[in-house]
Amino acid sequence: EIVLTQSPGTLSLSPGERATLSCRASQSVSSSYLAWYQQKPGQAPRLLIYGASSRATGIPDRFSGSGSGTDFTLTISRLEPEDFAVYYCQQYGSSLLAFGQGTKLEIK
Amino acid sequence: EVQLVESGGGLVQPGGSLRLSCAASGFTFSSYWMHWVRQAPGKGLVWVSRINSDGSSTSYADSVKGRFTISRDNAKNTLYLQMNSLRAEDTAVYYCARDRFWSDVMDVWGQGTTVTVSS
């Protein structure tokens, strides 16, 4: 079973700043089968990134994903007010799907 | 508009059963794998189960295997989750989600239905 660890637990930044969120896997994620989701309070998650670096339909290009193997990163180049939320990574390279515990991005 | 609407949640006693439904619209339901994902109060997302397009293949998280059953009725465009032997730790919001092209990536999510297991 692959375990995903996200860091930091909470990230405090201001609008306009750059955000870098990390997701580390306990073993290599095959074929970069890593996705990122955004969840706002009281809402369902929204797919942002799949295949480690491909943006989902309608996702602004300020969101980008990178990484391979066991280390993956979600970068938000210039934070907008609507970007403050919780972000989850998910691996789908093994039959037992798993999410990370989440990173809360809060306004500083 | 692509939409998923869950129903069937509620309060149930430990050891009890509940069946969740997820009504799909705006896309060809029978062509897509589907998932259930849950979220305990104040906690993160946990994958529960997946079913393939025609219902012939299913998979489950270890925590629910043997107690939960995922199924679908493609004629009714509806996904189900039968939950038996419920425990307090099954208390969560349950989301159904559409799979993105047989990939185990979830690209459309419902708004969720709340299950509370308590005496």
Side-chain angles (χ1 to χ4, degrees):
Chain A
E1 179 187 353
I2 298 177
V3 176
L4 300 177
T5 302
Q6 294 186 239
S7 62
T10 302
L11 185 58
S12 300
L13 294 170
S14 300
E17 291 192 295
R18 180 185 185 91
T20 302
L21 287 67
S22 173
C23 177
R24 178 163 290 178
S26 59
Q27 56 188 282
S28 183
V29 177
S30 62
S31 304
S32 295
Y33 286 156
L34 194 287
W36 290 93
Y37 300 83
Q38 176 194 67
Q39 187 179 34
K40 297 179 181 179
Q43 295 186 17
R46 177 174 72 143
L47 175 65
L48 299 175
I49 300 286
Y50 63 92
S53 61
S54 298
R55 274 187 302 276
T57 303
I59 301 304
D61 60 7
R62 65 180 181 273
F63 291 91
S64 63
S66 62
S68 64
T70 61
D71 290 298
F72 298 87
T73 300
L74 174 70
T75 301
I76 311 172
S77 60
R78 186 176 172 85
L79 285 166
E80 298 286 344
E82 62 267 26
D83 298 337
F84 292 91
V86 179
Y87 292 84
Y88 295 94
C89 57
Q90 177 227 336
Q91 72 80 21
Y92 52 104
S94 69
S95 59
L96 291 180
L97 310 184
F99 290 91
Q101 84 280 16
T103 289
K104 181 180 181 180
L105 179 56
E106 65 177 23
I107 299 176
K108 187 175 181 179
Chain B
E1 179 192 5
V2 174
Q3 195 171 16
L4 297 171
V5 178
E6 301 93 337
S7 61
L11 175 63
V12 60
Q13 292 187 339
S17 298
L18 211 54
R19 188 177 84 156
L20 306 183
S21 299
C22 170
S25 59
F27 65 100
T28 306
F29 179 72
S30 60
S31 297
Y32 288 83
W33 295 0
M34 297 293 295
H35 298 264
W36 287 100
V37 175
R38 69 184 182 185
Q39 186 170 35
K43 302 297 184 181
L45 303 171
V46 176
W47 174 77
V48 172
S49 184
R50 179 196 64 220
I51 188 167
N52 70 345
S53 307
D54 65 6
S56 62
S57 176
T58 60
S59 59
Y60 299 92
D62 289 344
S63 58
V64 306
K65 195 175 296 182
R67 300 189 299 124
F68 290 12
T69 302
I70 190 172
S71 63
R72 64 192 297 160
D73 186 334
N74 286 342
K76 294 183 177 180
N77 291 338
T78 303
L79 174 72
Y80 302 102
L81 185 68
Q82 177 67 43
M83 304 186 295
N84 298 331
S85 303
L86 282 162
R87 307 166 180 167
E89 54 265 36
D90 296 319
T91 294
V93 174
Y94 284 74
Y95 296 100
C96 66
R98 189 182 78 171
D99 188 280
R100 184 186 178 278
F101 301 136
W102 320 289
S103 66
D104 282 333
V105 173
M106 297 156 226
D107 68 345
V108 177
W109 294 67
Q111 283 304 301
T113 187
T114 300
V115 173
T116 303
V117 184
S118 175
S119 55

